[in-house]
Amino acid sequence: MAEDLKAKGNAAFAQKDYKTAIDYFSQAIQLDGNNHILYSNRSACYASVKDYKNALEDATKCTDIKHDWAKGWSRKGAALHGLGDLTAAKAAFEEGLKFDSNNAQLLNGLKSVEAAQSSAGGDSGFNPFAKMTSQLNDPKFIQKLASNPETASLLGDASFMSKLQNIQKNPGSIMSELNDPRMMKVIGMLMGIDINMKGEEDAAANANEAASSSEPSQPETAPKEETKPEPAAQPMEEDKTPEEIEENASQEALRKKADEAKQVGNENYKKRNFPVAIEHYKKAWETYKDITYLNNLAAAYYEADELDNCESTCKEAIEQGRDLRADFKLIAKALGRLGTTYQKRGDLANAIEYFQRSLTEHRSPDILTKLKEVEKLKEKIDRESYIDPAKADEARAKGNDLFKAGDFAGAIKEYTEMTKRAPTDPRGFGNRAAAYLKVMAPAESIRDCNHAIQLDPTFAKAYVRKAQALFMLKDYGKCIDACNAAADVDRKEPNSGKNIREIDSQLQKCMNAMAAQRQNETEEETMARIQNDPEVLAILQDPAMQAILGQARENPAALMEHMKSPAVKSKIDKLIASGVIRLG
């Protein structure tokens, strides 16, 4: 997730591993390209390695996404300052102060820019390297390099000469090359410094001193996270200015005061004294901006059955959490409680939406369970609210007309509508099973037949269609069972034998198909096939069937008497179909 990558980027930044931090933030941006905080954090990384061009691009993207976020303007001002465009840098800092007039970073940045402008005699475009970079385009520049013994060898360095050509096209990019000792030799030559071991140190010191006058105020040691930073990721005290140390002490005092108010709120919450708990949670939030207090406040409102206040507080927690870059688990909690609030109101669609959003922030087992329960409940309610017997009859009539017209796909659609409008009426499933047979979908037909039989065990037509589907699958053994089950049901009320012809016809088709399979089969082949048929073997090994078959050999008429039993008849039919019993 983007939040995980951002957290890794923050940790890398805290360790001053800027290249790794840039990589993590870039991956996060690919997943969440509209997150202004990610661009702000990457801008800080680029500025830390003096890549002010990319820092400016990210800062501009940040302010485009969230124009009223003061820190984005601070990033932009810092990048412009680094590029030497003091006028634009000043404008950026001033724009940010419109949204947060007390922002220390913006105020310090503006002060730094104004000081640079003052030292340049009012030249807002002042760049301490301006004179030096202008010499890079001097026609005699290469000649100067060649004539200086310290730089002459650089003319044979293709990679360095390519770098020089890029700097000639974009002089401002020299700022990012100050760590290259070859470049320091060139800078020393242009600044008129003797280049030897001591001279190199002097040149680097002078160049860095010049760069510091145009460099923006250092961004905070680590981009603020939406998670509370681990102690190891905290900036070292020596990296902070006295003002920052004082500000941190003040903030820590406020947090302590807010936590005290929260503790009182928690004690009253446990006692179910929600009005008092609410007042103290409000006080905690007003004292220090941590959305933990808002989440507690929302919980108190929920328990007090003040659902409107709970909803608005949750939404404020989500919005403030984004701006404060709070722990994503805290944002997930606010989203989850908002889902619970909607569930309590009976607004299941919104409850599902916010439970899903909560899970994208943090996959909590509790929220996942709630989501499944609400989805199941909503599905049940939607299904029940759709029931309408009158519309079910309309759909069945339309389906019948389409079936007679040969439009079986259309008939299936209407019968499906009937099953939704009247889910306890077996006719919808039985009719759709018949339509499935017409489009050669026996498995779907069997499924519908089973459902129809479950709804009405006396529905003989469902047994018949099941037998037809099994015949289509060439599962002749089960087809015989289905035919005999159909015959047994058909003999009873309310059928009274009205389907017997269709049942006998289907049974005969099955018997004929099985006989065709063993046509021209020798007795030895028949015995081999029987030995490999576990169903036939089970019948032959059944003691009751052995007694019936023994009696039939002595008195064939007795077999007909036994076949009045549906179970026995089914087994006898299978033995006849398999060739064990030969009629002749």
Side-chain angles (χ1 to χ4, degrees), residues 228-229 234 237 240 243-260 284 287-290 293:
K228 296 178 182 177
Q234 293 289 334
E237 284 296 324
K240 299 179 181 178
E243 292 82 1
E244 289 175 323
I245 294 173
E246 183 179 351
E247 174 66 16
N248 286 346
S250 174
Q251 290 296 312
E252 190 58 35
L254 290 174
R255 176 186 281 277
K256 185 177 180 181
K257 185 177 179 181
D259 282 341
E260 290 172 356
T287 303
Y288 188 83
K289 301 306 181 188
D290 183 333
Y293 310 135

Side-chain angles (χ1 to χ4, degrees), residues 67 71 173 212 231 243 284 343 399 481 519 529 554 559 572:
H67 186 80
K71 178 160 285 187
S173 64
S212 67
E243 292 82 1
Q343 180 183 4
D481 288 338
Q519 190 175 10
R529 177 172 49 76
E554 297 176 2
L559 185 61
I572 295 297

Side-chain angles (χ1 to χ4, degrees), residues 45-94:
C45 294
Y46 281 131
S48 297
V49 295
K50 299 180 174 61
D51 184 355
Y52 297 116
K53 181 181 178 183
N54 280 320
L56 177 59
E57 288 181 5
D58 275 357
T60 300
K61 181 68 174 178
C62 175
T63 56
D64 287 344
I65 295 173
K66 191 166 181 60
H67 186 80
D68 60 351
W69 194 49
K71 178 160 285 187
W73 292 103
S74 174
R75 298 289 191 215
K76 189 169 184 177
L80 288 164
H81 195 166
L83 292 170
D85 191 345
L86 302 184
T87 299
K90 181 180 179 182
F93 288 128
E94 289 175 339

Side-chain angles (χ1 to χ4, degrees), residues 382-384 386-388 392 414-423 429 432:
D382 289 346
R383 187 170 60 248
E384 290 177 351
Y386 201 70
I387 294 174
D388 187 329
E414 292 300 330
Y415 291 143
T416 299
E417 177 69 9
M418 181 189 175
T419 63
K420 294 177 181 178
R421 293 291 187 181
F429 297 96
R432 189 169 66 177

